[in-house]
Amino acid sequence: MAQDAAMITVVGIGADGVDGLSVRSRRELQRASVIFGSLRQLELLAQESLAAECRVWPSPLLPALPTMFNGLGDVHVLASGDPMLHGIGTTLTRLFGVQRVQVLPHVSSVSLACARMGWAVNDVEIISLVNAPAKSARRYGGRAVVLSRNADTPAELARTLTASALGASRLTVWEQLGGAAERSFGGVACDWNHVPGDALNVIAVEYVPAQEVAILPLVAGLPESVFEHDGQITKREIRAVTLASLAPRPGQRLWDVGAGSGSIAVEWSRSGAGCSASAFEIDPSRRVAIAANATKFGVDVEVLDSAPQDFERATAPDVIFVGGGVTQPDLLEACWERLPGGGRMVVNAVTAESEALLVQWYSRHGGELRRYRVEDASPLGDFTSWRSRLPVVQWSADKP
């Protein structure tokens, strides 16, 4: 069989081992010639009479994957639970294509945990801490099933929640779900005193914020007071219309150029599943504030130095926002050049010089050009009057 036609079959397996496999999954393993998996997963096959050669994944895995299967013909891969839920199935499908990868899922640990808790799976957020810090699992309401990195993850998460005014949150740890050794234990985060248990575990979390914590809305336009900033921040009303113009979609990457406090990058990243950002800010103290804001909200924001000098270091964007440095020579050209076809660029300006530049870009590339003005009520003697803020001109366009 030609190498490019060889199939990769991914078989999901649970803590119950071979006994929990479907008839089809067992047949696949029985006909396999080579089976890849972790040592723990391969040990689940120890009692089976299989003709296959079992191979433990190398470490590190990702650099080896592109050529690992060369010359082996059809291969089989073991994965924990559902391979398409933060699993190797998604990596292999992305790398080799859906036509070459066949996935036979098992019941996921998330589904099992929800079944034990009596929770509807569709109402629960799924958070992976396998390759992420515990701070990324902070939420100020709702429920989540957290996929652990190891036996220390529950205690680490409890400490993080306690330090984030979420100490009353309840954690229930489920180990070896579906297997003979399944067990659970739990408690509130601030009183967590359990010793580390099994490395194979997930955590069911019911978030309970402290009474003094303001529960922030999910829509764009958070108050400036919730961000660390030195006054260089896009005000909430303009931030809301800017996020509407940026039009985030799940999984997209934003470049926030001249990020200031990073409020646009943060609100973008919390707007949808998988949204992330790269924030470019030349001022060191503001970069510290951006990192602090990203940590506070538990979002994925990459903090970089100057633009466009650091563009090479950043993950490629889907959308670009320019909120500072608009008149810097060739900055807009560099942003437009980096933007992929079909990508969107939004630029805000407050000075006459930067406004004039946006008029030129509107004439050259089309799109939309708008001016926003916000007025606030304020005392005038014994009466109330309106005071205008500086107007903001916004240009936005999609790149052909």
Side-chain angles (χ1 to χ4, degrees):
M1 178 179 291
Q3 177 59 35
D4 61 0
M7 289 295 297
I8 302 168
T9 300
V10 186
V11 178
I13 190 168
D16 51 355
V18 176
D19 291 341
L21 294 178
S22 68
V23 172
R24 184 180 179 187
S25 292
R26 297 187 71 158
R27 286 175 179 169
E28 281 293 337
L29 294 177
Q30 288 166 359
R31 77 172 188 87
S33 56
V34 180
I35 301 175
F36 288 88
S38 69
L39 180 60
R40 179 188 63 79
Q41 292 161 348
L42 294 173
E43 286 176 343
L44 295 172
L45 305 181
Q47 304 303 316
E48 285 291 293
S49 298
L50 299 176
E53 174 191 358
C54 293
R55 299 188 182 185
V56 178
W57 291 120
S59 182
L61 173 60
L62 292 181
L65 272 180
T67 59
M68 183 182 300
F69 307 134
N70 288 357
L72 298 179
D74 289 353
V75 298
H76 289 69
V77 169
L78 285 182
S80 296
D82 185 347
M84 303 304 287
L85 181 65
H86 292 284
I88 190 66
T90 56
T91 303
L92 294 174
T93 301
R94 183 174 62 250
L95 191 60
F96 297 105
V98 69
Q99 299 303 320
R100 189 178 166 191
V101 180
Q102 173 186 222
V103 179
L104 303 178
H106 192 272
V107 178
S108 72
S109 58
V110 172
S111 291
L112 289 172
C114 287
R116 304 292 190 269
M117 299 295 297
W119 295 352
V121 178
N122 51 285
D123 291 336
V124 172
E125 184 177 1
I126 302 169
I127 303 172
S128 175
L129 296 185
V130 175
N131 294 304
K135 64 186 181 183
S136 63
R138 294 182 301 192
R139 301 291 187 272
Y140 288 88
R143 294 169 170 172
V145 173
V146 177
L147 310 181
S148 292
R149 180 174 58 256
N150 53 38
D152 296 323
T153 303
E156 183 183 358
L157 179 58
R159 289 192 298 270
T160 298
L161 295 181
T162 300
S164 305
L166 289 162
S169 300
R170 181 163 186 83
L171 280 61
T172 304
V173 179
W174 293 94
E175 299 178 343
Q176 294 285 338
L177 271 167
E182 178 181 314
R183 76 168 188 134
S184 70
F185 55 91
V188 294
C190 62
D191 295 329
W192 196 261
N193 58 2
H194 298 283
V195 298
D198 197 288
L200 186 64
N201 72 82
V202 299
I203 313 165
V205 184
E206 298 175 86
Y207 292 101
V208 181
Q211 290 185 353
E212 66 271 17
V213 173
I215 305 302
L216 300 176
L218 294 176
V219 296
L222 298 176
E224 289 87 68
S225 59
V226 304
F227 295 97
E228 289 192 21
H229 66 91
D230 61 0
Q232 191 71 17
I233 183 171
T234 304
K235 298 300 187 286
R236 65 185 302 183
E237 296 84 2
I238 299 301
R239 197 178 331 122
V241 297
T242 298
L243 264 294
S245 297
L246 290 168
R249 298 175 184 176
Q252 286 191 323
R253 184 83 173 184
L254 172 74
W255 278 10
D256 184 356
V257 179
S261 66
S263 61
I264 293 289
V266 166
E267 294 227 39
W268 166 281
S269 299
R270 71 192 296 267
S271 67
C275 285
S276 59
S278 297
F280 300 86
E281 174 54 53
I282 195 169
D283 185 281
S285 63
R286 290 173 182 165
R287 289 199 299 273
V288 172
I290 295 170
N293 287 326
T295 298
K296 177 179 181 179
F297 287 92
V299 294
D300 181 6
V301 177
E302 175 186 41
V303 184
L304 296 162
D305 197 340
S306 55
Q309 290 84 350
D310 276 358
F311 282 179
E312 291 289 345
R313 297 173 49 204
T315 304
D318 298 293
V319 179
I320 296 178
F321 169 67
V322 183
V326 174
T327 57
Q328 179 182 329
D330 301 324
L331 177 62
L332 296 186
E333 286 80 1
C335 291
W336 190 254
E337 180 181 347
R338 291 282 180 168
L339 192 67
R344 187 165 181 79
M345 185 159 148
V346 177
V347 185
N348 285 359
V350 294
T351 68
E353 290 79 6
S354 56
E355 179 179 341
L357 190 58
L358 293 192
V359 172
Q360 295 176 19
W361 275 73
Y362 175 64
S363 300
R364 189 187 316 167
H365 297 287
E368 298 173 331
L369 187 66
R370 293 190 174 93
R371 174 178 286 166
Y372 296 103
R373 185 188 300 274
V374 177
E375 296 183 342
D376 299 295
S378 62
L380 182 62
D382 294 331
F383 299 93
T384 300
S385 181
W386 295 101
R387 295 188 185 276
S388 294
R389 302 182 196 170
L390 288 174
V392 175
V393 173
Q394 182 181 95
W395 172 74
S396 59
D398 297 325
K399 185 175 179 180

